Every structure is written in C-alpha cells, then in structure tokens.
Amino acid sequence: MRALCGVLVSGSFIAVDWGTTNRRAYVIEGGEVASTERDDQGILSVPAGGFPAAVADLRARHGGLPMLLAGMVGSNRGWHDAGYVTAPAGIAEIAANLVSPVEGVSIVPGVCRDGGDGRQDVMRGEEVQLLGAVAAGLAPADALLCQPGTHAKWAVMKGGALADFTTAMTGEIFAMLKAHSLIGAEMAGDVDADEEFRKGVEASADGDLLAALFGVRAASVLGARAPGGAAAYVSGLLLGTDCRARVKPGQTVHLLADGLLARLYSAAIAAIGAEAVVVDSHASFVAGITRIRDMTS
Amino acid sequence: MRALCGVLVSGSFIAVDWGTTNRRAYVIEGGEVASTERDDQGILSVPAGGFPAAVADLRARHGGLPMLLAGMVGSNRGWHDAGYVTAPAGIAEIAANLVSPVEGVSIVPGVCRDGGDGRQDVMRGEEVQLLGAVAAGLAPADALLCQPGTHAKWAVMKGGALADFTTAMTGEIFAMLKAHSLIGAEMAGDVDADEEFRKGVEASADGDLLAALFGVRAASVLGARAPGGAAAYVSGLLLGTDCRARVKPGQTVHLLADGLLARLYSAAIAAIGAEAVVVDSHASFVAGITRIRDMTS
C-alpha cells in the first residue's frame, strides 16, 4: 500500500460484486479499475459444492490476485456465511469483520439492524456501494441514499457511516402483482415516468395501497383508464408509497441507480416535493471495496 | 304478494347467490327459507354457452319457481352482464335495474362508485347482503359494514342505502405473498388471532407495509421470530393496514363474516380501539334478496 496525494492506494486486487443472478468482477490497480467483466454466474448458478472451483477459476482468470468478494456469495445460500455487522457501521467495521474461507480470498459481511423498536432489517452487498458513495464524495457524509430494486434499500448515512436503513419490498410486489394478481393481465404495458405513473404517485398520497390496487381493476371494468396504462399507474402507486414513507418534501435523496429505475424514482421523489440526485453505483462500489481493501491489506 | 303484519311477503321464489367458485340456492316461501343447497358450480365451472342449461336445470330442480340471481353470474364473465347501478343505491335502485335474460329469471345488477375524486370501485353480489343486513335490522341504517375476503368490501350505509364503499385487496395480497414471494416459505404456519397476529396489527400502525413485509424476511434471517409465526404476523399486518385505513377508534364495524375471518377481523378491529359486531351473512342475503323480489313481483 502506498500514499498518493493523501489517498491510500492499494496494491492490485480483484473485487467481485457477486449477487443472486449476476456477478461483476473488477481488477483494481492503484485505486483504478483496470478491467471489468460481468456474467450471469450468480450464486444460484453455482452447483452444490461448486464455489471453491468457481472462485479459483475466477481468480486464475485475473492473474491470481488477492480477491475481495461482496454480496450474496457471503450469505448462507452462497459460498460461506460472512455474517452481519450491526448498524451503525462504517468502512472500518466492515473491514474488521471480513471472513476468509481460503488464503488470499475474503468476503465482506452484510449489515443488519435490530433496533429496540422491534424492527429487523438486513442487507448484503449494498453496504459497499452505500459507504463507497459517501467515501468517494459522490454523496454527502450525512445523507439519505436509495438503491431501488426488487428490495429497495434506503440508507441513512451519518458522518459517513451507515447509521440506519430500511428495505421495502417494492419491486417484488410489483412483479408479483403483474405475474399473479387479478390486475396482472391489465399490467401488460410498458412502465415509464409518464402521466399514468404520476397519477399513481399522486394516488399513493391517500396511504391506502390495498384499496388503490383494487381500484385498478374497478377502473378497467368501468372503462376509466386507457388500456395499457395500468402497469405505469401501479408502478407509480408502489414507488410513491415507498418514497412517501421515507422522504420529506424539500429533502434530497441520493439515488444509486441508472436507466429506468433512476427515471422512475427521480420522478416519484420530485412528485412529492423532494429532489433526487443520481449517483454512479459502479463507481460507488469500486470506491467502497477499494477502501475496505485499503484497511485490511 | 300479500301483506303480513305490515311486512310484504312475496310468493315463493328461488334466490341464488352465484359466485366465481361456488353457488348457493335458497327456496324462499313467505319470506322464509324453505330449503337451501350449496355446490361448487360457480361461474368458472360452467362451460362456454352452458348458462341457459345450467339455469334451467337449477330452476327445474326447485319446482320451476321464478328465480332471482345475484353475484358474478351477472358479470361479463358470467351468464349475462347485468351492469352496475351507481352508489348511493338502495334496494329500490337495485330492484329497478334487474335484467331478465329469460322469462321468469332475473339478475341483480352490481353497484359501482365513480366519484369526482377519481377513485373507482365495483361490487357484484355483496350489495344484496349489505342492504339486506340493514333491511333486516341486523345492522343500523347508518353504519360501517365489512365483508372480509379475497377482496374485502367496506360499505358506508346511510339511511339504509349503500352510500359509498371501498374494496381492499387484502386477502388476495396475503395469498399471493404466501404462494409467490420471498417470505412465502416462512408463511407455512396456520393463521389465527394469536400473539403473532396481534404483533402484525400493531406493526401496521407504522403505515409502512412495503418495509414491514421485508422485515418478515429479516426477522427470519436474524432468528428474531419463532418458526411458524410469520403467517399470522403477515395476516395481522395486512388486516391491520386494511382496518386502520377505514376504522376510527371508538367506531363500530358490522362484520358480515363467520369462522376464522370473523375472528381475525374482530381481533384487528379491537386492537385498534374499535368494536366489531358479527352479523349473519346468509340471513342478510335472504333478507336482501327477498326485499328486492318484493319490489318487483
């Protein structure tokens, strides 16, 4: 490790964001990404007992460098359960709790919260992006960060640490409604941050999601919505419900997202009188994993 | 039709509550149920073009009496679309809008609401029970009525008429979570109005259903809930969310339900400081359909 302009610069290593369905490997040299590779070899595609070989293969492909893994690979469904550190947690707490199943390869723990208020929550993989976004100056040290998705993560950062967080089942409920519910057939259209989406965000102000969802069926039966608009409306309802539970008017949300999800959450956040700032989630991951590595190498 | 003690008493007729998966036929003589028959010949079990024969068969089995049908048989997926009357609606408005596809057989219309507030809602079949409960004195003329189920109906009765109503997708969301979600495997246990159910109702006070549902997963990962408790907890979350959106502390809800659903909704309503009164839904249906018949025969 050497110091460069006051920033610690690690030796070369392989960082892997290894999720349920995909993984992305980065060769990081001197704090910069030298190469990156993405494939669909998520943990679900690894056969029973297959992790040692999969890890060795990945490592060999990238010059046998030391390797630091994050994400679901560290869950009890992955290679090795890396446990959780309890929020509030910063990069130091994460770095102090790496698990190393084999020489030269370490796994980042997840983060849990188990407050006295009886609410439990867990994350695994997102903590690297969240802490990295702040460490790289892409978001302030005190900020509200959001990673939209199947399970949207909302993180309250304080003094650069992950102080508290909430996971909302927003994306999963949308997918489930589309695939399996009474209103699924009406949700065939594309979703974008259009007029129907905004109507859904507006309707979410009633705080009555269970009734609003049936209202989609009623609107269809009564011919009150143009065919094709229901998917965007339901997306607006769900994202609006999610955002209103966590964002106050006037607040700024740093959004670790791109593409459609960035557009949708930005629109929902704007519609409730707050502001979204989109942050590069890949750069955040690289910044986070590099700093964790710096603390341990 | 003849008058008896000031109450109109119809001639004999067959009343049928014909739903999606079941139907129940009542032979009603002089305002009383002479016989009843329940089977699983809901509208989904009737083959294409099969309704005339199914109706004729049912009618012949019960002495060829005049027949009055209610429920999904009057939808566009049933025998004949009987349309909707718009709330507020009383027995007179329902009776004035029967549809008669064949001589001697009529179908009750549904009720819709399409308020200036942009919220649409529909019911079909429930209106007979709701209006019947009040007409029979089983609930006051001004009351909040609830019919729990896949799609829970909440009706505001004013002066004996159905003034307004809301449908909540409560039961469908529960079934969908159990069958298709990340937390479905944890929802294997039985549901009853127990301690875990009450904890769910309590947690619903946060008004953050999307996060509370993911919390079920987190509690399981962190070992914070005894195995088998998640189904009752999720049921409490959903019913609590449903009730809190519509019931104020101190209010009385008349519940057209029996068995487990009556126990669960009664417990949820009590937990938020209101009171549930259970009403016989079959007696309500008979009272409602008899009064509709009285107005038309």
Side-chain angles (χ1 to χ4, degrees), chain A residues 22 25 47 49 71 78 161 176 211 236 241 297:
Chain A
N22 294 296
M176 218 168 52
T241 300
S297 56

Side-chain angles (χ1 to χ4, degrees), chain A residues 84-88 110-123 162-167, chain B residues 218-219 222:
Chain A
Y84 297 96
V85 297
T86 304
V111 181
C112 68
R113 71 95 72 198
D114 198 353
D117 58 1
R119 186 173 73 77
Q120 288 86 27
D121 212 329
V122 289
M123 66 166 63
L162 179 49
D164 199 359
F165 65 99
T166 304
T167 308
Chain B
L222 299 175

Side-chain angles (χ1 to χ4, degrees), chain B residues 170-211:
Chain B
T170 318
E172 180 171 354
I173 299 287
F174 180 85
M176 218 168 51
L177 287 166
K178 183 165 178 163
H180 302 293
S181 80
L182 174 78
I183 59 173
E186 287 143 46
M187 290 170 62
D190 286 339
V191 173
D192 215 323
D194 58 11
E195 183 60 22
E196 284 296 340
F197 177 83
R198 276 184 291 272
K199 282 185 190 168
V201 176
E202 194 182 318
S204 72
D206 291 346
D208 193 1
L209 183 61
L210 295 172

Side-chain angles (χ1 to χ4, degrees), chain B residues 222-246:
Chain B
L222 299 175
R225 174 175 294 110
Y233 179 82
V234 172
S235 176
L237 261 182
L238 288 168
L239 270 62
T241 299
D242 188 3
C243 292
R244 284 179 204 279
R246 275 156 276 285

Side-chain angles (χ1 to χ4, degrees), chain B residues 53-76:
Chain B
V55 168
D57 180 59
L58 190 64
R59 194 177 178 193
R61 260 212 319 285
H62 297 293
L65 290 170
M67 197 147 78
L68 188 50
L69 313 176
M72 292 305 285
V73 67
S75 74
N76 57 7

Side-chain angles (χ1 to χ4, degrees), chain A residues 151-174:
Chain A
H151 301 137
K153 301 284 178 191
W154 293 82
V156 177
M157 310 300 291
K158 284 190 185 159
L162 179 49
D164 199 359
F165 65 99
T166 304
T167 308
M169 224 187 229
T170 317
E172 180 172 356
I173 298 287
F174 180 86

Side-chain angles (χ1 to χ4, degrees), chain A residues 72 76-77 84 112-114 119-123 151 153 166-170 172-173 176-177 180-183 186 206-219 221-222 224-225 238-239 241-242 245-246, chain B residues 72 76-77 84 112-114 119-123 151 153 166-170 172-173 176-177 180-183 186 206-219 221-222 224-225 238-239 241-242 245-246:
Chain A
M72 292 304 286
N76 58 6
R77 299 178 184 184
Y84 297 96
C112 68
R113 71 95 72 198
D114 198 353
R119 186 173 73 77
Q120 288 86 27
D121 212 329
V122 289
M123 66 166 63
H151 301 137
K153 301 284 178 191
T166 304
T167 308
M169 224 187 229
T170 317
E172 180 172 356
I173 298 287
M176 218 168 52
L177 287 167
H180 302 294
S181 80
L182 174 78
I183 59 172
E186 286 144 46
D206 291 346
D208 193 2
L209 183 61
L210 295 173
L213 290 172
F214 187 84
V216 172
R217 170 71 179 161
V221 167
L222 299 175
R225 175 173 295 110
L238 289 168
L239 271 61
T241 300
D242 187 3
R246 275 158 274 286
Chain B
M72 292 305 285
N76 57 7
R77 298 177 186 185
Y84 297 95
C112 68
R113 72 93 74 197
D114 198 353
R119 187 174 71 78
Q120 288 86 28
D121 212 329
V122 289
M123 65 166 63
H151 301 137
K153 301 284 179 189
T166 304
T167 308
M169 224 186 229
T170 318
E172 180 171 354
I173 299 287
M176 218 168 51
L177 287 166
H180 302 293
S181 80
L182 174 78
I183 59 173
E186 287 143 46
D206 291 346
D208 193 1
L209 183 61
L210 295 172
L213 290 172
F214 187 83
V216 173
R217 170 70 180 161
V221 168
L222 299 175
R225 174 175 294 110
L238 288 168
L239 270 62
T241 299
D242 188 3
R246 275 156 276 285

